[in-house]
Amino acid sequence: MNPVWLIAIPLALAFVSAFWRIVSGWALIIAAFFNAFAGVFGVIFLTATSFSIGGWKAPYGINLLVNDATKLLLPISNILFLFAVLSYLRKGEETTKYSVVFLVALASLNGILLTNDLFNLFVFLEIAGISAYLLASTGEGSDSKVASFKYLMIGSVGSLLYLLGVAILYGAAGTLNISELAARVSSGQISGDVTLVSSLLIVAGLGVESKLLPFNGWVPDVLTKSSRVATLVLASVYPLAMVYAFSKVILAVGDDRVLNLVVLLGIATVLVGEVIAFGQKSLRRTLAYSSIAQSGLAIFLVGIGSVEAVTGSIMLLINNALSKFMLFSIDDQVIDEAGRDDRDTLYGYGRKSPIVGVTFVVSALSIAGMPLFFGFRGKLNAISASFEASLAVPVLILIAAAIEVTYYFRWIFTFFKPVGTVQAPEKRILPSVEFLAFGLVLSTVIVFLGVSSGEAFTMFERAADSLVNGVLAIGKAILGGM
Amino acid sequence: MNILFVLAASLFAAPLFFLISKWKKSVAYIAYAAFQVLVFLYVFFWGGTGASYEVVGITSKLNFNFSMNPVNWFFASIVMLIISTTAVFLLPLKKSPVKIFLLSLVTAGVLGAVFSADFLTLMIFWEISTWSSLLLIIQDKEKSTGEAIKYAAIAAIGSYSMLFAIFYMDSRLGTVEFSSVALKIESQPIGVQLTIFIALAIMVLAKMGSFPLHTWLRGSHSSAPDEFSPILSGGLTKLGGFLLFIMSIVFPSFKVFGNLPLLNGIPIVNYGLALLGGISIVVGTVMAIRMEDAKELIAFSTVSNSGYIVLALSIGGTYATAGGMMHILNHAMASAAMFMAIAAVAYMTKTTRMHEMGGLIVKMPFTFAVYLVAIISVAGIPPTSGFVSKWLIYQQLVQDGLPFLAFAAFFGSIGSFMYVFKPLAGIFLGQLKPEHEKVREAPLIMLAPMAFLTLLTIFWGVFPSNAIRSINRITESIGGGTVDVTFSRIVALTGQWDSVLVTTVFVIGLAISLLIFMRAKKARHVDLLDNYTGGDFLYTAELYHFSYRMYRPFDRLFEKWPSMENWLSSTSEKIKELGALFRAVFFNRNPQVYIALTVIVLVGAFWWLR
Amino acid sequence: MFMNIVITILSGIALLVVAFVYTVTLEGIARKIEARIQRRYGPPFWQNFIDIFKSLTKYSISHGFIFDFGILMALGGTIATVFFIPAGNLAVFPGIDNVFVVIYLLAIGLLGMAMSAVGSGNPNASIGIGRALAQMLGYELPFMIVILGVFFHHGTSSLSDLVSIQIAQGTYNAWLMPIGGVVAFVSLIGMLGKKPFDTFIAPAEIASGPLVEYSGKYLGMLMIQHALATFIEIGLFVNLFLGGGRTLWEFLLKFLIVYFSIVIISATIPRFRVEQAIKFYWKWPLIFSFVQVIIVVFVMGRR
């Protein structure tokens, strides 16, 4: 199956539902299901890796690249998107009202994951960005509109910077194909100044979406104020695609000096994110800043650039997606039931609703990196790889990790604080069926990946290898072939 | 059947017990207790085979490594002894499926940790037991969440320090297995050695509850469910002792740090660590004397005894090492017995505040006896095993001529008379409160494990040679010296004593006084309220039980002492303030700030990088 | 082998009898000395014997099992400890009388008395015991540090070995380590519970503290215990710092000198409060004990 269907179907259905409002809800569901299934079955069994669009062979035309990394990330992104859509299908009209936006978002995210062309990436980034701005404004009240506006401003600046960087690179290299550019950059054909400037601009541009400091000012407000499904998509599916795009491009065309800068910015992101998250009193804000920190972790590993580091990056990325999906869902449950999510409201919530409590523990401990959970494996790789740079890197990362563990445990304790007494036992609260189902699936995946033996992890290593070395290899092949 | 099988069974037992207890709680708990006893028997009798196993799996380069050396056997036997006795003990207490699940996870983690043969395996299993114990602590009491967060924070500090050490080791030495690291560490530059040593030492101090990372013990032990406190104090903290002992094997520190300045023949790094242990002894003792709640008191006693273990294992030398190892055994047993006795009392009277009780010796004599022997052991009085370990440590201190550390050791020993006596006086002696008239002795299922630990304490006090020979085998197997011991006599550097002789003489003394006692006229038994009060009569028992603030004069001496308890919360406040600052800078309300930052970073980066 | 056991038993009995008779006699004489200092006549010097035997023949009350058992433990532990003190050439267990064993066995005695006293149910007793334990932390510390220096220097912690070393080399530890000797002497006053450190008895304040509920045989046994404890503590000091004695009589003479010095000092001083006592001990005696031991470890070295 040509993976372009993953992009085309949602886009087509988006046009359909734009004009034909009645079927818009159904269109979204159909597209989500199709993408999920196609993402899993269609992609995993692909043997060919490069698909050209419109018959133009690479590097003259746009091509879609399916390597080990995309084979891993595409299914996960699409399935999470499906879960997100299904979660609030019964309860809200959100998906029907904004179905066009969701469909376009789905299409663009798949495009970002698949594309191997810098300008194509810009297009999809713009589309994804605009969808994101619209999704961000879906929350009730005016706050979400303000948040969306801020996002719009910095997002626009970011994408312009990215375009500028791409333009400079194109001018110097004459091609927009990522693989070929990788080969040209690594062979030194392009002057150092050009790569430096273009890499810097690209980092800035992609950094906005990837939540890199200091470009991530939009994150807390957007993630806290937007509506339920939108938050789920923005917090779990978007980071997968955006950070992957960041990794793909920077590893391919990045200047070595800029990679060091990326490490620095990544660590700064982690530290700032964790420190701010530590003091937050609302669960949602804590999760928002935690998301920033997790992105920072994934990105600084990309900056280090070795296979081990990028393996850790991919693992952490996926772990973050799975866990944040559950965590934000839990937060939604709480707000649905109690209206707020500060510490007082949450006291003893885990005892009133054991399922929610257990899923919270599983996802929180996975992000905090406790053994028996998936996040621990990723963290091990991350720490191991962080010793390749200077010694200060692991020290800072571990300090941030210690802060993270502390505040996650504080939230876990809040959930399980014994508040009922023998005379007045806590009443039971049942979560929604969808939450039960998805929570169960995702928790099982996290624990399974946490305890499975090393062989299961070769898939992550292959993914990393394809990012670090594979792209370059393809590029050299193209160059050689020309 | 090997240890891998047992470990896997332990891990899978956790969800299994959870499911069983959803059906019927008592069955699950009995199954858990039986399983632990079986594991203990297996470990004790077949645990020292010397086999080692490698299991693939952690990352692409590192695997799990397990071994069953005498060292593993020693520590495993101690922790499994504590866990299995507690598992039987807690059968009458309140049960819940969550608790049995977490308990099983804790024990699985502990088991994996003591049989590990490399640092990463140790770390992983230790972490499993840490996070499950964190969740277990908050199960019962409301105030426990505030206390448990201190445990979480300090455990995080320790764990990440150890992770740092592990991967640093991996990047410099290429291995994290104990034996390989021991071979390669000597050739490394001093900076590397020091870094690894200090990072691991931070983990030891954090997990054993030793100064300056001791502030978590008080809250966690006192607010933990009663059945978990013995395991926390007698089992989990001893894992820190395991790491410390491994460190002393892996870092032949006298050679490795021998080029650093020496103090009395001890490298300054070791001396520093021993000094921290000494301060821990003093701080723990003083704070214990000031406590009003029995469990908080025993928690600080744990701080103090952890200090002894750190001190003994840091200064090195045959006798100190043997003393330290024996102290790990002794304190595990004594501390578990003390917590169990308090738990039995709390089960019957529903309180652990000492001044709310009194006179319970008439109602719970066996519990009293257990507690008495335990405190005699903690205070280090013959003929219990506590004296043996302390005596060995003193011998080394005298021989090496270390006055400041000896001061700390003596302070801890003498001060412990004070704080162990307080619960005895407050809970068991004195006037019986009217509301406790109906209190009965604890059930047999609780008495039996306590009695077992008491008998062991006395046995190893009268025949310490039994325990010391095992310790000799261990130290010999790693190339250390051995303690000169015959059937009943221990010969040390500056003296010798004969345990059977001392016990016999003590019995003779008792016999003589018993003779005098019997020959004199029989006394008339009177009620406790019939007391000398200068001519008045007593009616209300509560007013005449002197236990609250029993050591008030002593307390007043230390009122102005600086307290370490607040350093954690002040650090947390600082972090929150820093967070607010970051938020103001990077996440300002105005989007112009974001654009400005972007431009500044870009321009600055370009200027810096070109 | 069998002869050894018989000799041990006989010397043990002899030591016990000597300790009891001599100490009680000295106590009686001490009362006379104290009285004369305070310009009274005082009771006859055999008064304490009368007190003890009279008490043992009287009826008394008991407050329960622990009340009885504690007394047994107190007297039993103290009697057991007496056997480990060499008195001149009368040493029951030469070579294996380790000082730490002595100190901790003595602690059993204290613990027994503490349990029994608190078990009487009288708050005065508990107050007294609380003070006694707190004060113990005061006087034991300088003492232990000084004797650490003694053991380090001579390389042994066995009492009889230390005695023979001092006799052999001709100088007593009190001249060898004078500061330590003085500190140990001051600690000894605290150990004996004589003024100014008798706050735990405090006759007029807390009705004799721990002793408040004892009468009859209990009081008698406690008096015996007190006498034997005095013997042990002063004997410890004489053996450690004054060279014990070549013969029993030399030992008893030194014992007498030390005891009466303490009695004379005590007769003229009022008592400290508990925190004053602790603060006193933790100031100059502790400082000097550290000074002494640093001199021993770093300047004098091993013998």
Side-chain angles (χ1 to χ4, degrees):
Chain A
M1 186 201 80
N2 192 320
V4 79
W5 290 113
L6 285 171
I7 309 173
I9 298 280
L11 212 47
L13 285 173
F15 280 115
V16 166
S17 57
F19 293 112
W20 205 4
R21 300 311 312 285
I22 307 174
V23 300
S24 52
W26 286 108
L28 180 57
I29 300 175
I30 295 174
F33 267 108
F34 170 76
N35 265 39
F37 280 114
V40 174
F41 297 109
V43 167
I44 290 189
F45 301 113
L46 277 179
T47 45
T49 51
S50 179
F51 297 85
S52 8
I53 308 286
W56 294 92
K57 279 192 99 52
Y60 299 112
I62 298 174
N63 73 327
L64 300 177
L65 190 60
V66 178
N67 55 17
D68 288 312
T70 41
K71 279 195 199 168
L72 196 54
L73 291 172
L74 268 178
I76 298 181
S77 314
N78 287 308
I79 293 179
L80 280 179
F81 190 90
L82 176 65
F83 282 176
V85 167
L86 287 178
S87 294
Y88 293 102
L89 204 56
R90 281 189 305 147
K91 292 211 207 148
E93 303 176 321
E94 198 182 324
T95 41
T96 344
K97 263 208 290 188
Y98 297 103
S99 60
V100 179
V101 184
F102 279 112
L103 282 165
V104 171
L106 182 61
S108 52
L109 287 174
N110 278 290
I112 294 176
L113 283 171
L114 283 168
T115 182
N116 200 27
D117 180 285
L118 277 181
F119 188 74
N120 196 219
L121 184 61
F122 170 74
V123 171
F124 281 124
L125 272 175
E126 280 291 291
I127 303 178
I130 294 179
S131 329
Y133 309 148
L134 288 169
L135 286 177
S137 69
T138 53
E140 298 156 9
S142 54
D143 289 335
S144 74
K145 319 293 190 260
V146 174
S148 166
F149 180 68
K150 287 198 258 186
Y151 189 11
L152 170 66
M153 289 196 40
I154 183 121
S156 309
V157 170
S159 45
L160 283 176
L161 290 173
Y162 174 75
L163 191 58
L164 192 54
V166 168
I168 295 175
L169 203 51
Y170 185 46
T175 175
L176 287 166
N177 187 294
I178 294 182
S179 320
E180 196 191 333
L181 274 171
R184 282 193 201 268
V185 167
S186 72
S187 64
Q189 290 178 355
I190 312 184
S191 100
D193 273 344
V194 169
T195 50
L196 178 64
V197 174
S198 65
S199 310
L200 276 178
L201 290 169
I202 291 177
V203 163
L206 291 174
V208 172
E209 290 291 347
S210 314
K211 308 199 185 87
L212 190 62
L213 203 78
F215 316 112
N216 54 9
W218 57 271
V219 177
D221 287 330
V222 168
L223 283 182
T224 45
K225 303 279 194 320
S226 49
S227 69
R228 296 180 294 203
V229 184
T231 315
L232 285 177
V233 172
L234 283 171
S236 62
V237 188
Y238 265 74
L240 273 178
M242 298 303 182
V243 176
Y244 176 69
F246 187 95
S247 323
K248 190 162 60 170
V249 175
I250 288 296
L251 282 174
V253 307
D255 188 280
D256 285 329
R257 297 165 285 179
V258 174
L259 283 176
N260 288 338
L261 177 70
V262 168
V263 173
L264 193 65
L265 288 177
I267 297 177
T269 316
V270 178
L271 272 173
V272 168
E274 302 291 20
V275 168
I276 301 182
F278 186 80
Q280 294 307 309
K281 298 203 180 37
S282 143
L283 181 59
R284 212 172 183 85
R285 282 210 164 260
T286 313
L287 293 176
Y289 287 107
S290 173
S291 302
I292 296 178
Q294 291 292 313
S295 293
L297 267 180
I299 291 178
F300 103 86
L301 285 169
V302 170
I304 293 184
S306 67
V307 174
E308 191 186 12
V310 179
T311 315
S313 173
I314 294 181
M315 284 205 245
L316 285 174
L317 209 54
I318 296 178
N319 178 50
N320 181 53
L322 298 175
S323 307
K324 284 285 163 35
F325 185 91
M326 279 205 285
L327 286 169
F328 275 104
S329 306
I330 293 172
D331 195 70
D332 284 335
Q333 293 283 320
V334 175
I335 294 190
D336 263 352
E337 203 256 326
R340 296 184 318 252
D341 65 348
D342 55 335
R343 228 181 276 284
D344 293 323
T345 332
L346 280 174
Y347 275 151
Y349 197 88
R351 291 173 185 261
K352 296 188 230 176
S353 182
I355 311 266
V356 170
V358 169
T359 41
F360 187 80
V361 169
V362 171
S363 21
L365 288 183
S366 187
I367 295 211
M370 290 284 127
L372 286 189
F373 300 110
F374 183 37
F376 179 67
R377 319 293 288 253
K379 241 198 181 110
L380 276 187
N381 273 52
I383 298 174
S384 178
S386 63
F387 276 92
E388 294 173 28
S390 91
L391 211 54
V393 174
V395 172
L396 290 170
I397 295 295
L398 288 170
I399 292 178
I403 298 179
E404 181 179 47
V405 166
T406 311
Y407 72 72
Y408 268 115
F409 265 110
R410 209 165 50 200
W411 281 110
I412 294 181
F413 293 154
T414 313
F415 260 79
F416 285 100
K417 188 168 167 133
V419 282
T421 57
V422 173
Q423 287 81 18
E426 302 123 349
K427 58 178 178 55
R428 290 289 160 135
I429 303 174
L430 280 176
S432 62
V433 177
E434 295 90 347
F435 179 82
L436 258 167
F438 301 141
L440 199 62
V441 169
L442 291 175
S443 308
T444 318
V445 170
I446 288 182
V447 174
F448 176 71
L449 283 173
V451 297
S452 55
S453 79
E455 277 102 30
F457 288 83
T458 50
M459 62 176 165
F460 296 108
E461 274 180 28
R462 282 199 312 255
D465 188 62
S466 67
L467 265 183
V468 175
N469 300 321
V471 174
L472 193 56
I474 297 177
K476 291 207 170 103
I478 296 179
L479 275 186
M482 282 170 64
Chain B
M1 162 132 128
N2 60 24
I3 189 62
L4 294 177
F5 178 73
V6 175
L7 262 175
S10 270
L11 271 172
F12 283 111
L16 185 67
F17 288 139
F18 178 74
L19 291 170
I20 297 180
S21 73
K22 280 285 195 191
W23 162 58
K24 203 159 166 46
K25 287 191 255 203
S26 45
V27 171
Y29 271 73
I30 294 177
Y32 173 74
F35 183 61
Q36 296 312 316
V37 173
L38 285 174
V39 172
F40 168 61
L41 291 172
Y42 167 74
V43 162
F44 187 67
F45 290 111
W46 292 288
T49 61
S52 64
Y53 305 92
E54 187 163 344
V55 176
V56 281
I58 312 181
T59 66
S60 54
K61 297 179 295 179
L62 297 168
N63 298 323
F64 287 109
N65 285 301
F66 299 102
S67 64
M68 295 168 80
N69 298 329
V71 178
N72 302 93
W73 169 79
F74 182 75
F75 284 94
S77 308
I78 296 178
V79 291
M80 283 319 295
L81 171 69
I82 303 297
I83 291 178
S84 48
T85 42
T86 314
V88 174
F89 175 83
L90 56 81
L91 286 172
L93 296 175
K94 200 163 70 133
K95 306 180 177 57
S96 87
V98 175
K99 279 202 229 177
I100 196 70
F101 175 70
L102 292 171
L103 256 180
S104 317
L105 268 184
V106 169
T107 45
V110 165
L111 201 58
V114 285
F115 278 109
S116 60
D118 76 70
F119 285 102
L120 189 56
T121 312
L122 173 60
M123 168 96 220
I124 292 178
F125 280 98
W126 206 343
E127 275 302 282
I128 294 177
S129 60
T130 302
W131 69 253
S132 28
S133 64
L134 268 169
L135 291 176
L136 191 46
I137 286 179
I138 58 165
Q139 290 302 317
D140 271 355
K141 305 194 179 87
E142 206 184 308
K143 77 160 183 169
S144 53
T145 49
E147 303 296 338
I149 195 67
K150 289 188 204 162
Y151 181 18
I154 294 185
I157 294 176
S159 308
Y160 287 119
S161 181
M162 184 164 174
L163 261 184
F164 177 80
I166 290 176
F167 284 106
Y168 191 54
M169 254 190 264
D170 190 38
S171 72
R172 293 291 161 144
L173 304 173
T175 172
V176 291
E177 290 179 49
F178 297 147
S179 38
S180 319
V181 172
L183 288 173
K184 294 194 184 171
I185 193 72
E186 291 188 45
S187 50
Q188 291 291 318
I190 187 74
V192 174
Q193 296 168 335
L194 266 178
T195 318
I196 299 179
F197 187 84
I198 293 179
L200 287 175
I202 293 180
M203 176 67 160
V204 169
L205 292 176
K207 285 310 177 109
M208 293 197 73
S210 199
F211 185 89
L213 298 170
H214 63 283
T215 47
W216 63 273
L217 268 182
R218 168 185 186 174
S220 304
H221 283 213
S222 65
S223 54
D226 289 338
E227 59 265 30
F228 188 59
S229 299
I231 297 183
L232 191 55
S233 169
L236 283 179
T237 52
K238 303 301 172 268
L239 285 180
F242 177 62
L243 178 60
L244 186 57
F245 187 66
I246 296 286
M247 276 166 71
S248 66
I249 302 176
V250 162
F251 284 82
S253 27
F254 282 65
K255 270 191 279 172
V256 164
F257 298 126
N259 296 325
L260 293 176
L262 297 177
L263 242 95
N264 281 74
I266 302 179
I268 194 162
V269 183
N270 290 50
Y271 193 80
L273 194 58
L275 204 59
L276 284 177
I279 299 178
S280 184
I281 298 176
V282 174
V283 166
T285 309
V286 170
M287 288 306 289
I289 296 174
R290 302 170 68 185
M291 291 295 116
E292 293 302 326
D293 180 290
K295 288 177 81 169
E296 288 184 1
L297 189 144
I298 305 179
F300 274 113
S301 163
T302 307
V303 171
S304 181
N305 281 284
S306 296
Y308 267 105
I309 298 173
V310 168
L311 190 148
L313 289 177
S314 302
I315 61 177
T318 311
Y319 286 85
T321 314
M325 302 269 280
M326 182 111 193
H327 201 76
I328 293 178
L329 172 65
N330 289 338
H331 181 248
M333 291 195 299
S335 180
M338 280 200 285
F339 270 117
M340 279 195 220
I342 302 291
V345 169
Y347 178 61
M348 289 298 171
T349 62
K350 313 283 179 271
T351 176
T352 57
R353 298 194 72 77
M354 299 181 279
H355 56 272
E356 289 171 11
M357 298 185 263
L360 285 177
I361 182 174
V362 290
K363 301 289 179 191
M364 306 177 75
F366 291 110
T367 316
F368 167 76
V370 167
Y371 184 77
L372 181 64
V373 173
I375 66 169
I376 294 181
S377 183
V378 166
I381 299 180
T384 59
S385 51
F387 176 70
V388 181
S389 56
K390 289 224 170 114
W391 188 78
L392 288 170
I393 299 176
Y394 293 152
Q395 289 301 312
Q396 187 75 47
L397 287 170
V398 167
Q399 173 72 5
D400 288 350
L402 298 163
F404 295 102
L405 294 177
F407 168 76
F410 294 142
F411 189 98
S413 189
I414 299 167
S416 66
F417 289 169
M418 288 178 72
Y419 70 70
V420 294
F421 190 72
K422 187 162 175 183
L424 194 71
I427 298 178
F428 291 105
L429 302 175
Q431 304 282 357
L432 182 67
K433 299 241 178 339
E435 62 252 29
H436 292 148
E437 272 295 325
K438 298 280 177 39
V439 166
R440 293 181 342 261
E441 179 60 270
L444 186 61
I445 196 76
M446 285 175 131
L447 286 179
M450 291 200 281
F452 182 58
L453 286 177
T454 309
L455 287 172
L456 281 179
T457 310
I458 300 179
F459 173 70
W460 277 319
V462 180
F463 295 107
S465 47
N466 182 291
I468 296 200
R469 284 215 190 87
S470 299
I471 297 180
N472 276 345
R473 262 191 299 131
I474 297 172
T475 47
E476 240 178 333
S477 78
I478 55 159
T482 59
V483 172
D484 187 353
V485 63
T486 63
F487 169 68
S488 61
R489 187 175 297 205
I490 306 180
V491 179
L493 307 159
T494 58
Q496 46 174 320
W497 73 293
D498 187 317
S499 54
V500 171
L501 179 71
V502 169
T503 316
T504 319
V505 170
F506 178 57
V507 169
I508 292 177
L510 263 181
I512 297 178
S513 53
L514 190 62
L515 199 66
I516 304 178
F517 191 83
M518 303 294 249
R519 287 288 297 143
K521 302 224 167 46
K522 189 162 156 49
R524 181 168 59 102
H525 188 268
V526 297
D527 189 60
L528 275 178
L529 278 178
D530 188 352
N531 245 301
Y532 170 73
T533 47
D536 212 337
F537 288 101
L538 300 183
Y539 300 106
T540 44
E542 297 93 347
L543 292 178
Y544 297 101
H545 182 57
F546 177 70
S547 155
Y548 186 63
R549 295 181 145 195
M550 189 170 162
Y551 296 118
R552 188 74 189 114
F554 186 83
D555 198 12
R556 259 185 249 129
L557 279 178
F558 291 98
E559 258 171 348
K560 305 279 185 352
W561 248 25
S563 166
M564 284 289 292
E565 306 224 319
N566 294 324
W567 74 268
L568 259 186
S569 43
S570 52
T571 312
S572 129
E573 292 302 316
K574 296 282 183 308
I575 295 181
K576 288 189 192 164
E577 285 169 29
L578 188 61
L581 174 67
F582 283 150
R583 216 168 137 203
V585 171
F586 293 109
F587 297 98
N588 206 297
R589 295 181 39 148
N590 295 319
Q592 299 94 301
V593 178
Y594 310 154
I595 318 273
L597 280 173
T598 312
V599 172
I600 293 173
V601 167
L602 272 179
V603 171
F606 180 68
W607 187 48
W608 170 45
L609 287 174
R610 75 196 299 260
Chain C
M1 184 41 196
F2 180 67
M3 277 310 291
N4 279 346
I5 298 185
V6 171
I7 294 183
T8 311
I9 296 180
L10 285 176
S11 43
I13 297 177
L15 184 61
L16 197 58
V17 169
V18 165
F20 174 66
V21 171
Y22 190 66
T23 315
V24 176
T25 314
L26 282 191
E27 275 180 1
I29 303 180
R31 280 169 87 170
K32 259 246 184 299
I33 297 180
E34 221 175 292
R36 288 303 162 99
I37 294 180
Q38 291 165 1
R39 308 186 75 167
R40 320 178 259 121
Y41 278 108
F45 70 88
W46 58 84
Q47 181 64 44
N48 276 22
F49 283 105
I50 302 178
D51 290 338
I52 291 177
F53 290 121
K54 185 181 74 168
S55 306
L56 285 175
T57 57
K58 297 253 178 216
Y59 284 101
S60 59
I61 54 136
S62 157
H63 280 295
F65 169 73
I66 195 66
F67 192 73
D68 302 342
F69 180 70
I71 294 286
L72 290 177
M73 210 164 121
L75 186 55
T78 316
I79 292 179
T81 319
V82 169
F83 292 132
F84 286 100
I85 305 282
N89 53 5
L90 182 61
V92 181
F93 296 113
I96 40 175
D97 45 2
N98 194 283
V99 174
F100 291 118
V101 175
V102 168
I103 293 180
Y104 282 99
L105 270 179
L106 206 52
I108 297 185
L110 174 62
L111 185 64
M113 194 174 97
M115 284 200 306
S116 165
V118 176
S120 72
N122 196 309
N124 288 319
S126 307
I127 298 177
I129 293 296
R131 293 179 181 181
L133 290 175
Q135 206 177 158
M136 191 168 78
L137 191 56
Y139 60 70
E140 282 284 355
L141 282 176
F143 185 74
M144 300 289 270
I145 300 198
V146 168
I147 62 177
L148 174 89
V150 170
F151 299 153
F152 176 80
H153 180 69
H154 292 294
T156 174
S157 49
S158 153
L159 272 173
S160 37
D161 284 350
L162 280 168
V163 167
S164 30
I165 290 174
Q166 287 179 76
I167 296 177
Q169 71 182 19
T171 45
Y172 300 147
N173 284 330
W175 320 143
L176 204 53
M177 307 174 195
I179 308 176
V182 171
V183 169
F185 185 76
V186 174
S187 290
L188 184 59
I189 307 182
M191 271 198 239
L192 290 173
K194 288 213 152 298
K195 289 193 176 39
F197 304 110
D198 70 342
T199 179
F200 65 100
I201 309 270
E205 188 198 348
I206 49 172
S208 298
L211 303 174
V212 63
E213 281 294 298
Y214 293 124
S215 56
K217 63 181 174 186
Y218 300 96
L219 192 56
M221 287 171 79
L222 268 186
M223 287 201 263
I224 301 178
Q225 189 265 343
H226 180 72
L228 291 177
T230 307
F231 175 80
I232 294 169
E233 284 148 8
I234 301 185
L236 203 59
F237 178 77
V238 168
N239 283 322
L240 284 172
F241 289 96
L242 292 179
R246 274 164 289 237
T247 65
L248 180 62
W249 306 109
E250 193 180 327
F251 175 83
L252 293 179
L253 179 65
K254 293 181 187 169
F255 188 101
L256 186 147
I257 298 176
V258 172
Y259 188 46
F260 285 161
S261 326
I262 293 181
V263 165
I264 294 175
I265 296 176
S266 297
T268 55
I269 306 183
R271 78 173 74 105
F272 278 154
R273 285 205 314 267
V274 168
E275 63 266 26
Q276 288 173 329
I278 300 179
K279 267 197 259 197
F280 165 75
Y281 271 115
W282 282 1
K283 207 163 119 195
W284 292 115
L286 195 63
I287 293 178
F288 280 127
S289 70
F290 272 117
V291 166
Q292 175 68 75
V293 81
I294 289 176
I295 294 177
V296 167
V297 171
F298 293 109
V299 175
M300 288 167 64
R302 290 173 222 269
R303 182 167 59 87

